[in-house]
Amino acid sequence: PPQYRVKDRFVSLPDESSYQPRLSDEYIRQDDGDVPSIFQDFDAAQGSRGRITSYCVAETIDRKLLMELLKRDSVHSIEIFPEVVYARCERPSNDGVKTRSDVFFFDYGTVVIWGQTLQEERRFVEKVKAACCVDLLDAAEIEIDEFLFVWSANEKPHIQNDTFTINYQYANDHLVKLSVSHALAQSTKLSVYEYRVVAIVDETKDLPEVLASTGKVVLTRKAVAQLMGQVFLQKSAVNLLSSVLDTPDFFWESDVPDSLQHLYEGCCSYLEYENRVEVLNLRFGVLQEMLDMLRDHLHADHSS
């Protein structure tokens, strides 16, 4: 799993007091009685706690093929946002009570799932990979990041130890989940690029030392040129993929309250997103300088 964040760091989230939740019937209080705390389980059908998992499995997801899959899969409801397709899934549990999960499909090849078991997630993602993914990632590049959610009536919203604690009134509000999922999906996609850059760094880390000790470059001009091409392609992919680097378009829509963007930004803070983008670009710069040096050295040797 990713090692970029300090998991026991406490990050406060906005209390959403300016945002009216979209409540479903089972969450509307009928009296002034006590509301449950995180130490008291809600009814299982209400999903008081559970898994959130972000899977990056491909370069892109084909929306047309995705919609066909969701219609065949008898998804309860579908809503389309910029860069995202949202699906609400309902399934009967062993006792006949319907349980709910929420799935967000991001155009850039990432799926974020709320409220499914690990086995259900894996089966669902395999169906998505088979039906509508474009340019599947190699097995070594696939990124999976796992979290937990807790709906609480008493604790202030926060993230700590990869657990999102959010007011229970928002348990059925998919816009709150979408705001969190945007941050998770971007972070998971960024992890793919981090993995690729680390692979190039590992491949080339000994070259400067060899050059310093022997005065020779152990790569051919063609091999150096190929490495330079890899670095350029990865850097271009990161910087051109505004879906990963920029604040998602969803938050700029006129009817989206600022509090949802603040929720997204709090999640990005916990995931140390901006720092990671900066470090990634610094690594690209170091790699480019090293490869330029090797290329110039080979060119000088060839000229002499």
Side-chain angles (χ1 to χ4, degrees), residues 1-7 143 145 191 194 271-272 276:
Q3 301 298 319
Y4 47 76
R5 57 182 176 266
V6 180
K7 293 188 177 184
E143 289 290 339
D145 211 355
S191 295
E194 290 171 326
L271 297 165
E272 301 185 22
R276 290 164 57 204

Side-chain angles (χ1 to χ4, degrees), residues 200-217:
I200 298 174
V201 169
D202 286 344
E203 185 179 351
T204 59
K205 63 184 179 182
D206 296 330
L207 295 179
E209 185 176 343
V210 172
L211 178 61
S213 60
T214 67
K216 297 180 179 180
V217 177

Side-chain angles (χ1 to χ4, degrees), residues 50-53 55 73 91 94 101 103 113-128 144 146:
R51 294 169 53 84
I52 316 171
T53 311
Y55 293 83
D73 212 46
R91 63 193 186 280
N94 293 333
S101 63
V103 187
I113 303 174
W114 293 65
Q116 293 187 9
T117 66
L118 175 60
Q119 292 74 20
E120 289 170 336
E121 290 174 4
R122 297 291 169 87
R123 286 196 298 266
F124 197 84
V125 169
E126 286 302 317
K127 285 196 292 186
V128 173
I144 302 172
E146 298 174 292

